[in-house]
CSV table of all heavy atoms in Angstrom, one decimal:
chain,number,residue,atom,x,y,z
A,490,ALA,N,-24.6,-65.9,-11.9
A,490,ALA,CA,-23.2,-65.4,-12.1
A,490,ALA,C,-22.2,-66.3,-11.5
A,490,ALA,O,-21.0,-66.0,-11.6
A,490,ALA,CB,-23.1,-64.0,-11.5
A,491,LYS,N,-22.6,-67.4,-10.9
A,491,LYS,CA,-21.7,-68.3,-10.1
A,491,LYS,C,-20.5,-68.7,-11.0
A,491,LYS,O,-19.3,-68.6,-10.6
A,491,LYS,CB,-22.5,-69.4,-9.6
A,491,LYS,CG,-21.7,-70.3,-8.5
A,491,LYS,CD,-22.6,-71.3,-7.9
A,491,LYS,CE,-22.0,-72.0,-6.7
A,491,LYS,NZ,-20.8,-72.7,-7.1
A,492,GLU,N,-20.8,-69.3,-12.1
A,492,GLU,CA,-19.7,-69.9,-13.0
A,492,GLU,C,-18.7,-68.8,-13.4
A,492,GLU,O,-17.5,-69.0,-13.3
A,492,GLU,CB,-20.4,-70.5,-14.2
A,492,GLU,CG,-19.4,-71.3,-15.0
A,492,GLU,CD,-20.1,-71.9,-16.2
A,492,GLU,OE1,-21.3,-72.3,-16.2
A,492,GLU,OE2,-19.4,-72.1,-17.3
A,493,LEU,N,-19.2,-67.7,-13.9
A,493,LEU,CA,-18.4,-66.6,-14.3
A,493,LEU,C,-17.5,-66.1,-13.2
A,493,LEU,O,-16.3,-65.9,-13.4
A,493,LEU,CB,-19.2,-65.4,-14.9
A,493,LEU,CG,-18.5,-64.1,-15.2
A,493,LEU,CD1,-17.5,-64.3,-16.3
A,493,LEU,CD2,-19.4,-63.0,-15.6
A,494,LEU,N,-18.1,-65.8,-12.0
A,494,LEU,CA,-17.3,-65.3,-10.9
A,494,LEU,C,-16.2,-66.3,-10.5
A,494,LEU,O,-15.1,-65.9,-10.1
A,494,LEU,CB,-18.2,-64.9,-9.7
A,494,LEU,CG,-19.2,-63.8,-10.0
A,494,LEU,CD1,-20.2,-63.6,-8.9
A,494,LEU,CD2,-18.5,-62.5,-10.4
A,495,GLU,N,-16.5,-67.5,-10.5
A,495,GLU,CA,-15.5,-68.5,-10.1
A,495,GLU,C,-14.3,-68.5,-11.1
A,495,GLU,O,-13.2,-68.6,-10.8
A,495,GLU,CB,-16.1,-70.0,-10.1
A,495,GLU,CG,-16.9,-70.2,-8.8
A,495,GLU,CD,-17.6,-71.6,-8.9
A,495,GLU,OE1,-17.4,-72.3,-9.9
A,495,GLU,OE2,-18.3,-71.9,-7.9
A,496,GLU,N,-14.7,-68.4,-12.4
A,496,GLU,CA,-13.7,-68.4,-13.5
A,496,GLU,C,-12.7,-67.3,-13.4
A,496,GLU,O,-11.5,-67.5,-13.6
A,496,GLU,CB,-14.5,-68.3,-14.8
A,496,GLU,CG,-13.8,-68.8,-16.0
A,496,GLU,CD,-14.7,-68.7,-17.3
A,496,GLU,OE1,-15.7,-69.4,-17.3
A,496,GLU,OE2,-14.3,-67.8,-18.1
A,497,VAL,N,-13.2,-66.1,-13.0
A,497,VAL,CA,-12.3,-64.9,-12.9
A,497,VAL,C,-11.8,-64.7,-11.5
A,497,VAL,O,-11.1,-63.7,-11.2
A,497,VAL,CB,-13.0,-63.6,-13.4
A,497,VAL,CG1,-13.3,-63.8,-14.9
A,497,VAL,CG2,-14.2,-63.3,-12.6
A,498,GLY,N,-12.1,-65.6,-10.5
A,498,GLY,CA,-11.6,-65.5,-9.2
A,498,GLY,C,-12.3,-64.3,-8.4
A,498,GLY,O,-11.6,-63.7,-7.6
A,499,SER,N,-13.5,-64.0,-8.7
A,499,SER,CA,-14.2,-62.9,-8.1
A,499,SER,C,-15.2,-63.4,-7.0
A,499,SER,O,-15.7,-64.5,-7.2
A,499,SER,CB,-15.0,-62.1,-9.1
A,499,SER,OG,-15.5,-60.9,-8.5
A,500,ALA,N,-15.4,-62.7,-5.9
A,500,ALA,CA,-16.2,-63.1,-4.8
A,500,ALA,C,-17.6,-63.4,-5.3
A,500,ALA,O,-18.2,-62.7,-6.2
A,500,ALA,CB,-16.3,-62.1,-3.7
A,501,GLU,N,-18.3,-64.5,-4.8
A,501,GLU,CA,-19.6,-64.8,-5.2
A,501,GLU,C,-20.6,-63.8,-4.7
A,501,GLU,O,-20.4,-63.1,-3.7
A,501,GLU,CB,-20.0,-66.2,-4.8
A,501,GLU,CG,-20.0,-66.5,-3.3
A,501,GLU,CD,-20.4,-67.9,-3.0
A,501,GLU,OE1,-19.7,-68.8,-3.6
A,501,GLU,OE2,-21.3,-68.1,-2.2
A,502,LEU,N,-21.8,-63.8,-5.3
A,502,LEU,CA,-22.9,-62.9,-4.9
A,502,LEU,C,-23.6,-63.5,-3.7
A,502,LEU,O,-23.9,-64.7,-3.7
A,502,LEU,CB,-23.9,-62.6,-6.0
A,502,LEU,CG,-23.4,-61.8,-7.2
A,502,LEU,CD1,-24.5,-61.8,-8.3
A,502,LEU,CD2,-23.0,-60.4,-6.8
A,503,ASN,N,-23.9,-62.7,-2.7
A,503,ASN,CA,-24.7,-63.2,-1.5
A,503,ASN,C,-26.2,-63.1,-1.8
A,503,ASN,O,-27.0,-63.8,-1.3
A,503,ASN,CB,-24.3,-62.4,-0.3
A,503,ASN,CG,-22.9,-62.6,0.2
A,503,ASN,OD1,-22.4,-63.8,0.0
A,503,ASN,ND2,-22.2,-61.6,0.6
A,504,GLN,N,-26.5,-62.1,-2.6
A,504,GLN,CA,-27.9,-61.9,-2.9
A,504,GLN,C,-28.1,-61.4,-4.4
A,504,GLN,O,-27.1,-60.9,-5.0
A,504,GLN,CB,-28.6,-61.0,-1.9
A,504,GLN,CG,-27.9,-59.6,-1.9
A,504,GLN,CD,-28.5,-58.7,-0.8
A,504,GLN,OE1,-28.7,-59.2,0.3
A,504,GLN,NE2,-28.9,-57.5,-1.2
A,505,GLY,N,-29.3,-61.5,-4.9
A,505,GLY,CA,-29.5,-61.0,-6.2
A,505,GLY,C,-29.6,-59.5,-6.3
A,505,GLY,O,-29.5,-58.8,-5.3
A,506,GLY,N,-29.7,-58.9,-7.5
A,506,GLY,CA,-29.8,-57.5,-7.7
A,506,GLY,C,-29.5,-57.1,-9.1
A,506,GLY,O,-29.5,-58.0,-10.0
A,507,SER,N,-29.3,-55.8,-9.4
A,507,SER,CA,-29.1,-55.4,-10.7
A,507,SER,C,-27.7,-55.9,-11.2
A,507,SER,O,-26.7,-56.0,-10.5
A,507,SER,CB,-29.0,-53.9,-10.7
A,507,SER,OG,-28.6,-53.4,-12.0
A,508,ILE,N,-27.7,-56.3,-12.5
A,508,ILE,CA,-26.5,-56.9,-13.1
A,508,ILE,C,-25.4,-55.8,-13.1
A,508,ILE,O,-24.2,-56.2,-13.2
A,508,ILE,CB,-26.8,-57.4,-14.5
A,508,ILE,CG1,-25.6,-58.4,-14.9
A,508,ILE,CG2,-27.0,-56.3,-15.5
A,508,ILE,CD1,-26.0,-59.1,-16.2
A,509,ILE,N,-25.7,-54.6,-13.0
A,509,ILE,CA,-24.8,-53.5,-13.1
A,509,ILE,C,-23.7,-53.6,-11.9
A,509,ILE,O,-22.6,-53.1,-12.1
A,509,ILE,CB,-25.5,-52.1,-13.1
A,509,ILE,CG1,-24.8,-51.2,-14.0
A,509,ILE,CG2,-25.7,-51.5,-11.7
A,509,ILE,CD1,-25.6,-50.0,-14.5
A,510,MET,N,-24.1,-54.2,-10.8
A,510,MET,CA,-23.2,-54.3,-9.7
A,510,MET,C,-22.0,-55.2,-10.0
A,510,MET,O,-20.9,-55.0,-9.5
A,510,MET,CB,-23.9,-54.8,-8.4
A,510,MET,CG,-24.5,-56.2,-8.5
A,510,MET,SD,-25.5,-56.6,-7.1
A,510,MET,CE,-26.2,-58.1,-7.7
A,511,LEU,N,-22.2,-56.1,-10.9
A,511,LEU,CA,-21.1,-56.9,-11.4
A,511,LEU,C,-20.1,-56.1,-12.2
A,511,LEU,O,-18.9,-56.3,-12.0
A,511,LEU,CB,-21.6,-58.1,-12.2
A,511,LEU,CG,-22.3,-59.3,-11.5
A,511,LEU,CD1,-22.7,-60.3,-12.5
A,511,LEU,CD2,-21.4,-59.9,-10.4
A,512,LEU,N,-20.6,-55.3,-13.1
A,512,LEU,CA,-19.7,-54.5,-14.0
A,512,LEU,C,-18.9,-53.5,-13.2
A,512,LEU,O,-17.9,-53.1,-13.7
A,512,LEU,CB,-20.6,-53.9,-15.1
A,512,LEU,CG,-19.8,-53.3,-16.3
A,512,LEU,CD1,-18.8,-54.3,-16.8
A,512,LEU,CD2,-20.8,-52.8,-17.3
A,513,ARG,N,-19.4,-53.2,-12.0
A,513,ARG,CA,-18.6,-52.2,-11.2
A,513,ARG,C,-17.3,-52.8,-10.6
A,513,ARG,O,-16.5,-52.2,-10.1
A,513,ARG,CB,-19.5,-51.6,-10.1
A,513,ARG,CG,-20.5,-50.6,-10.7
A,513,ARG,CD,-21.2,-49.8,-9.7
A,513,ARG,NE,-22.1,-48.8,-10.4
A,513,ARG,CZ,-23.4,-48.7,-10.1
A,513,ARG,NH1,-23.9,-49.4,-9.1
A,513,ARG,NH2,-24.1,-47.8,-10.7
A,514,ARG,N,-17.3,-54.2,-10.7
A,514,ARG,CA,-16.1,-54.8,-10.1
A,514,ARG,C,-14.9,-54.7,-11.2
A,514,ARG,O,-15.2,-54.9,-12.3
A,514,ARG,CB,-16.4,-56.3,-9.9
A,514,ARG,CG,-17.4,-56.6,-8.8
A,514,ARG,CD,-17.6,-58.1,-8.6
A,514,ARG,NE,-18.6,-58.4,-7.5
A,514,ARG,CZ,-18.7,-59.5,-6.9
A,514,ARG,NH1,-18.0,-60.6,-7.3
A,514,ARG,NH2,-19.6,-59.7,-6.0
A,515,PRO,N,-13.7,-54.4,-10.7
A,515,PRO,CA,-12.6,-54.1,-11.6
A,515,PRO,C,-12.3,-55.3,-12.5
A,515,PRO,O,-11.9,-55.1,-13.7
A,515,PRO,CB,-11.4,-53.8,-10.7
A,515,PRO,CG,-12.0,-53.5,-9.4
A,515,PRO,CD,-13.3,-54.2,-9.3
A,516,GLU,N,-12.5,-56.5,-12.0
A,516,GLU,CA,-12.1,-57.7,-12.8
A,516,GLU,C,-13.2,-58.2,-13.8
A,516,GLU,O,-12.9,-59.0,-14.6
A,516,GLU,CB,-11.8,-58.9,-11.9
A,516,GLU,CG,-12.9,-59.4,-11.0
A,516,GLU,CD,-13.1,-58.6,-9.7
A,516,GLU,OE1,-12.6,-57.5,-9.6
A,516,GLU,OE2,-13.8,-59.2,-8.8
A,517,ILE,N,-14.3,-57.5,-13.8
A,517,ILE,CA,-15.4,-57.9,-14.7
A,517,ILE,C,-15.5,-56.9,-15.8
A,517,ILE,O,-15.6,-55.7,-15.6
A,517,ILE,CB,-16.8,-58.0,-13.9
A,517,ILE,CG1,-16.7,-58.9,-12.7
A,517,ILE,CG2,-17.9,-58.4,-14.9
A,517,ILE,CD1,-16.6,-60.4,-13.1
A,518,THR,N,-15.6,-57.4,-17.0
A,518,THR,CA,-15.7,-56.6,-18.2
A,518,THR,C,-17.1,-56.7,-18.8
A,518,THR,O,-17.8,-57.7,-18.5
A,518,THR,CB,-14.7,-57.0,-19.3
A,518,THR,OG1,-15.0,-58.3,-19.8
A,518,THR,CG2,-13.3,-56.9,-18.8
A,519,TYR,N,-17.4,-55.8,-19.7
A,519,TYR,CA,-18.7,-55.8,-20.4
A,519,TYR,C,-18.8,-57.1,-21.2
A,519,TYR,O,-19.9,-57.8,-21.3
A,519,TYR,CB,-18.9,-54.6,-21.2
A,519,TYR,CG,-20.2,-54.6,-22.0
A,519,TYR,CD1,-21.4,-54.2,-21.5
A,519,TYR,CD2,-20.2,-55.2,-23.3
A,519,TYR,CE1,-22.6,-54.3,-22.2
A,519,TYR,CE2,-21.4,-55.2,-24.1
A,519,TYR,CZ,-22.6,-54.8,-23.5
A,519,TYR,OH,-23.8,-54.8,-24.2
A,520,GLU,N,-17.7,-57.5,-21.8
A,520,GLU,CA,-17.7,-58.7,-22.7
A,520,GLU,C,-18.1,-59.9,-21.8
A,520,GLU,O,-18.8,-60.8,-22.3
A,520,GLU,CB,-16.3,-58.9,-23.2
A,520,GLU,CG,-16.2,-59.8,-24.4
A,520,GLU,CD,-14.7,-59.9,-24.9
A,520,GLU,OE1,-14.0,-58.9,-24.7
A,520,GLU,OE2,-14.4,-60.9,-25.5
A,521,MET,N,-17.6,-60.0,-20.6
A,521,MET,CA,-18.0,-61.1,-19.7
A,521,MET,C,-19.5,-61.1,-19.4
A,521,MET,O,-20.1,-62.2,-19.4
A,521,MET,CB,-17.2,-61.0,-18.4
A,521,MET,CG,-15.7,-61.3,-18.5
A,521,MET,SD,-14.9,-60.9,-16.9
A,521,MET,CE,-13.2,-61.1,-17.4
A,522,LEU,N,-20.0,-59.9,-19.2
A,522,LEU,CA,-21.4,-59.8,-18.9
A,522,LEU,C,-22.3,-60.3,-20.0
A,522,LEU,O,-23.4,-60.8,-19.8
A,522,LEU,CB,-21.8,-58.4,-18.6
A,522,LEU,CG,-21.6,-57.8,-17.2
A,522,LEU,CD1,-22.4,-56.5,-17.0
A,522,LEU,CD2,-21.9,-58.8,-16.1
A,523,GLU,N,-21.8,-60.1,-21.2
A,523,GLU,CA,-22.6,-60.6,-22.4
A,523,GLU,C,-23.0,-62.0,-22.3
A,523,GLU,O,-24.0,-62.5,-22.9
A,523,GLU,CB,-21.9,-60.2,-23.7
A,523,GLU,CG,-21.9,-58.7,-24.0
A,523,GLU,CD,-21.2,-58.5,-25.3
A,523,GLU,OE1,-20.0,-58.6,-25.4
A,523,GLU,OE2,-21.9,-58.1,-26.3
A,524,ARG,N,-22.1,-62.8,-21.6
A,524,ARG,CA,-22.4,-64.3,-21.5
A,524,ARG,C,-23.6,-64.5,-20.7
A,524,ARG,O,-24.4,-65.5,-20.9
A,524,ARG,CB,-21.2,-65.0,-20.9
A,524,ARG,CG,-20.0,-65.1,-21.9
A,524,ARG,CD,-18.7,-65.4,-21.2
A,524,ARG,NE,-18.8,-66.4,-20.2
A,524,ARG,CZ,-17.8,-66.8,-19.4
A,524,ARG,NH1,-16.6,-66.2,-19.5
A,524,ARG,NH2,-17.9,-67.7,-18.5
A,525,ILE,N,-23.8,-63.7,-19.7
A,525,ILE,CA,-25.0,-63.8,-18.8
A,525,ILE,C,-26.2,-63.2,-19.3
A,525,ILE,O,-27.3,-63.7,-19.2
A,525,ILE,CB,-24.6,-63.2,-17.4
A,525,ILE,CG1,-23.4,-63.9,-16.8
A,525,ILE,CG2,-25.8,-63.3,-16.4
A,525,ILE,CD1,-22.9,-63.2,-15.5
A,526,SER,N,-26.0,-62.0,-19.9
A,526,SER,CA,-27.1,-61.2,-20.4
A,526,SER,C,-26.8,-60.5,-21.7
A,526,SER,O,-26.4,-59.3,-21.7
A,526,SER,CB,-27.5,-60.2,-19.3
A,526,SER,OG,-28.6,-59.3,-19.7
A,527,PRO,N,-26.9,-61.1,-22.8
A,527,PRO,CA,-26.6,-60.5,-24.1
A,527,PRO,C,-27.5,-59.3,-24.4
A,527,PRO,O,-28.7,-59.4,-24.1
A,527,PRO,CB,-26.7,-61.6,-25.1
A,527,PRO,CG,-27.4,-62.7,-24.4
A,527,PRO,CD,-27.3,-62.5,-23.0
A,528,SER,N,-27.0,-58.3,-25.0
A,528,SER,CA,-27.8,-57.1,-25.3
A,528,SER,C,-28.7,-57.4,-26.5
A,528,SER,O,-28.3,-58.0,-27.5
A,528,SER,CB,-26.9,-55.9,-25.6
A,528,SER,OG,-27.6,-54.8,-26.0
A,529,PRO,N,-29.9,-56.8,-26.5
A,529,PRO,CA,-30.8,-56.9,-27.6
A,529,PRO,C,-30.4,-55.9,-28.7
A,529,PRO,O,-31.0,-56.0,-29.8
A,529,PRO,CB,-32.2,-56.6,-27.1
A,529,PRO,CG,-31.9,-55.7,-25.9
A,529,PRO,CD,-30.6,-56.1,-25.3
A,530,TYR,N,-29.5,-55.0,-28.4
A,530,TYR,CA,-29.2,-53.9,-29.3
A,530,TYR,C,-27.9,-54.3,-30.1
A,530,TYR,O,-27.1,-55.0,-29.6
A,530,TYR,CB,-28.9,-52.6,-28.6
A,530,TYR,CG,-30.0,-52.2,-27.6
A,530,TYR,CD1,-29.8,-52.1,-26.3
A,530,TYR,CD2,-31.3,-52.0,-28.1
A,530,TYR,CE1,-30.8,-51.8,-25.4
A,530,TYR,CE2,-32.3,-51.7,-27.2
A,530,TYR,CZ,-32.1,-51.6,-25.8
A,530,TYR,OH,-33.0,-51.3,-24.9
A,531,GLU,N,-27.8,-53.7,-31.3
A,531,GLU,CA,-26.6,-54.0,-32.1
A,531,GLU,C,-25.6,-52.9,-31.7
A,531,GLU,O,-25.6,-51.8,-32.2
A,531,GLU,CB,-26.9,-53.9,-33.6
A,531,GLU,CG,-27.7,-55.1,-34.2
A,531,GLU,CD,-27.8,-55.1,-35.7
A,531,GLU,OE1,-26.9,-54.6,-36.3
A,531,GLU,OE2,-28.9,-55.5,-36.2
A,532,LEU,N,-24.7,-53.3,-30.8
A,532,LEU,CA,-23.7,-52.4,-30.3
A,532,LEU,C,-22.3,-52.7,-31.0
A,532,LEU,O,-21.9,-53.8,-31.1
A,532,LEU,CB,-23.5,-52.6,-28.8
A,532,LEU,CG,-24.8,-52.4,-28.0
A,532,LEU,CD1,-24.5,-52.6,-26.5
A,532,LEU,CD2,-25.4,-51.0,-28.2
A,533,THR,N,-21.6,-51.6,-31.4
A,533,THR,CA,-20.3,-51.7,-31.9
A,533,THR,C,-19.3,-51.8,-30.7
A,533,THR,O,-19.7,-51.6,-29.6
A,533,THR,CB,-19.9,-50.5,-32.7
A,533,THR,OG1,-19.9,-49.3,-31.9
A,533,THR,CG2,-20.8,-50.3,-33.9
A,534,ALA,N,-18.1,-52.2,-31.0
A,534,ALA,CA,-17.0,-52.3,-29.9
A,534,ALA,C,-16.9,-50.9,-29.2
A,534,ALA,O,-16.7,-50.9,-28.0
A,534,ALA,CB,-15.7,-52.7,-30.5
A,535,GLU,N,-17.0,-49.9,-30.0
A,535,GLU,CA,-16.9,-48.5,-29.5
A,535,GLU,C,-18.0,-48.2,-28.5
A,535,GLU,O,-17.8,-47.6,-27.4
A,535,GLU,CB,-16.9,-47.5,-30.6
A,535,GLU,CG,-16.3,-46.2,-30.4
A,535,GLU,CD,-16.4,-45.3,-31.6
A,535,GLU,OE1,-17.5,-45.0,-32.1
A,535,GLU,OE2,-15.3,-45.0,-32.2
A,536,MET,N,-19.2,-48.6,-28.8
A,536,MET,CA,-20.4,-48.4,-27.9
A,536,MET,C,-20.2,-49.2,-26.6
A,536,MET,O,-20.5,-48.7,-25.6
A,536,MET,CB,-21.7,-48.8,-28.6
A,536,MET,CG,-22.0,-47.9,-29.8
A,536,MET,SD,-23.5,-48.6,-30.7
A,536,MET,CE,-23.5,-47.7,-32.2
A,537,LYS,N,-19.8,-50.5,-26.8
A,537,LYS,CA,-19.6,-51.3,-25.6
A,537,LYS,C,-18.6,-50.7,-24.6
A,537,LYS,O,-18.7,-50.8,-23.4
A,537,LYS,CB,-19.1,-52.7,-26.0
A,537,LYS,CG,-20.2,-53.5,-26.8
A,537,LYS,CD,-19.7,-54.8,-27.3
A,537,LYS,CE,-20.8,-55.6,-28.1
A,537,LYS,NZ,-20.3,-56.8,-28.7
A,538,GLU,N,-17.5,-50.2,-25.2
A,538,GLU,CA,-16.5,-49.5,-24.4
A,538,GLU,C,-17.1,-48.4,-23.6
A,538,GLU,O,-16.8,-48.2,-22.4
A,538,GLU,CB,-15.3,-49.1,-25.3
A,538,GLU,CG,-14.2,-48.3,-24.5
A,538,GLU,CD,-13.2,-47.6,-25.4
A,538,GLU,OE1,-13.6,-47.0,-26.5
A,538,GLU,OE2,-12.0,-47.7,-25.1
A,539,GLN,N,-17.9,-47.6,-24.3
A,539,GLN,CA,-18.6,-46.4,-23.7
A,539,GLN,C,-19.5,-46.9,-22.6
A,539,GLN,O,-19.5,-46.2,-21.5
A,539,GLN,CB,-19.4,-45.7,-24.8
A,539,GLN,CG,-19.8,-44.3,-24.4
A,539,GLN,CD,-18.6,-43.4,-24.1
A,539,GLN,OE1,-18.6,-42.9,-23.0
A,539,GLN,NE2,-17.6,-43.3,-24.9
A,540,VAL,N,-20.2,-47.9,-22.8
A,540,VAL,CA,-21.1,-48.4,-21.7
A,540,VAL,C,-20.3,-48.8,-20.5
A,540,VAL,O,-20.7,-48.5,-19.4
A,540,VAL,CB,-21.9,-49.7,-22.2
A,540,VAL,CG1,-22.7,-50.4,-21.1
A,540,VAL,CG2,-22.9,-49.2,-23.3
A,541,GLU,N,-19.2,-49.6,-20.7
A,541,GLU,CA,-18.4,-50.1,-19.6
A,541,GLU,C,-17.8,-48.9,-18.8
A,541,GLU,O,-17.9,-48.9,-17.6
A,541,GLU,CB,-17.3,-51.0,-20.1
A,541,GLU,CG,-16.5,-51.6,-19.0
A,541,GLU,CD,-15.6,-52.7,-19.5
A,541,GLU,OE1,-16.0,-53.4,-20.5
A,541,GLU,OE2,-14.5,-52.9,-18.9
A,542,ILE,N,-17.3,-47.9,-19.5
A,542,ILE,CA,-16.6,-46.8,-18.8
A,542,ILE,C,-17.7,-46.0,-18.0
A,542,ILE,O,-17.4,-45.6,-16.9
A,542,ILE,CB,-15.9,-45.9,-19.8
A,542,ILE,CG1,-14.6,-46.6,-20.4
A,542,ILE,CG2,-15.5,-44.6,-19.2
A,542,ILE,CD1,-14.0,-45.9,-21.5
A,543,GLN,N,-18.8,-45.7,-18.6
A,543,GLN,CA,-19.8,-44.9,-18.0
A,543,GLN,C,-20.3,-45.6,-16.7
A,543,GLN,O,-20.6,-44.9,-15.7
A,543,GLN,CB,-21.0,-44.7,-18.9
A,543,GLN,CG,-20.7,-43.6,-20.0
A,543,GLN,CD,-21.9,-43.2,-20.8
A,543,GLN,OE1,-23.1,-43.4,-20.3
A,543,GLN,NE2,-21.7,-42.7,-22.0
A,544,ILE,N,-20.4,-46.9,-16.7
A,544,ILE,CA,-20.9,-47.7,-15.5
A,544,ILE,C,-19.8,-47.8,-14.5
A,544,ILE,O,-19.9,-47.5,-13.3
A,544,ILE,CB,-21.4,-49.0,-15.9
A,544,ILE,CG1,-22.8,-48.8,-16.7
A,544,ILE,CG2,-21.7,-49.9,-14.7
A,544,ILE,CD1,-23.3,-50.1,-17.3
A,545,LYS,N,-18.6,-48.2,-14.9
A,545,LYS,CA,-17.5,-48.5,-14.0
A,545,LYS,C,-17.0,-47.2,-13.2
A,545,LYS,O,-16.7,-47.3,-12.1
A,545,LYS,CB,-16.3,-49.1,-14.7
A,545,LYS,CG,-16.3,-50.6,-14.9
A,545,LYS,CD,-14.9,-51.1,-15.3
A,545,LYS,CE,-15.0,-52.6,-15.6
A,545,LYS,NZ,-15.3,-53.4,-14.5
A,546,TYR,N,-17.1,-46.1,-13.9
A,546,TYR,CA,-16.5,-44.9,-13.3
A,546,TYR,C,-17.6,-43.9,-13.0
A,546,TYR,O,-17.4,-42.7,-12.8
A,546,TYR,CB,-15.5,-44.2,-14.3
A,546,TYR,CG,-14.3,-45.1,-14.5
A,546,TYR,CD1,-14.3,-46.1,-15.5
A,546,TYR,CD2,-13.2,-45.1,-13.6
A,546,TYR,CE1,-13.2,-46.9,-15.7
A,546,TYR,CE2,-12.2,-45.9,-13.8
A,546,TYR,CZ,-12.2,-46.8,-14.9
A,546,TYR,OH,-11.1,-47.7,-15.1
A,547,ALA,N,-18.9,-44.4,-12.8
A,547,ALA,CA,-20.0,-43.5,-12.6
A,547,ALA,C,-19.8,-42.6,-11.4
A,547,ALA,O,-20.1,-41.4,-11.5
A,547,ALA,CB,-21.3,-44.3,-12.4
A,548,GLY,N,-19.3,-43.1,-10.3
A,548,GLY,CA,-19.2,-42.3,-9.1
A,548,GLY,C,-18.1,-41.2,-9.3
A,548,GLY,O,-18.4,-40.1,-8.9
A,549,TYR,N,-17.0,-41.5,-9.9
A,549,TYR,CA,-16.0,-40.5,-10.1
A,549,TYR,C,-16.4,-39.5,-11.1
A,549,TYR,O,-16.2,-38.3,-10.9
A,549,TYR,CB,-14.7,-41.2,-10.7
A,549,TYR,CG,-14.1,-42.3,-9.7
A,549,TYR,CD1,-14.3,-43.6,-10.0
A,549,TYR,CD2,-13.4,-41.9,-8.6
A,549,TYR,CE1,-13.8,-44.6,-9.1
A,549,TYR,CE2,-12.9,-42.9,-7.7
A,549,TYR,CZ,-13.1,-44.2,-8.0
A,549,TYR,OH,-12.5,-45.1,-7.2
Side-chain angles (χ1 to χ4, degrees):
K491 191 171 188 299
E492 188 182 329
L493 170 64
L494 295 177
E495 281 176 2
E496 203 177 292
V497 297
S499 189
E501 63 180 52
L502 291 175
N503 294 322
Q504 58 185 46
S507 170
I508 198 171
I509 218 160
M510 61 189 171
L511 286 182
L512 194 49
R513 288 195 177 126
R514 295 186 179 191
E516 64 276 15
I517 304 292
T518 65
Y519 176 86
E520 198 179 334
M521 293 173 186
L522 276 199
E523 285 185 291
R524 287 163 44 186
I525 302 171
S526 177
S528 176
Y530 311 117
E531 285 189 36
L532 303 179
T533 63
E535 204 176 62
M536 292 175 195
K537 291 174 184 179
E538 177 190 41
Q539 196 56 236
V540 169
E541 184 168 329
I542 289 171
Q543 286 188 22
I544 289 171
K545 273 194 186 298
Y546 296 91
Y549 300 104

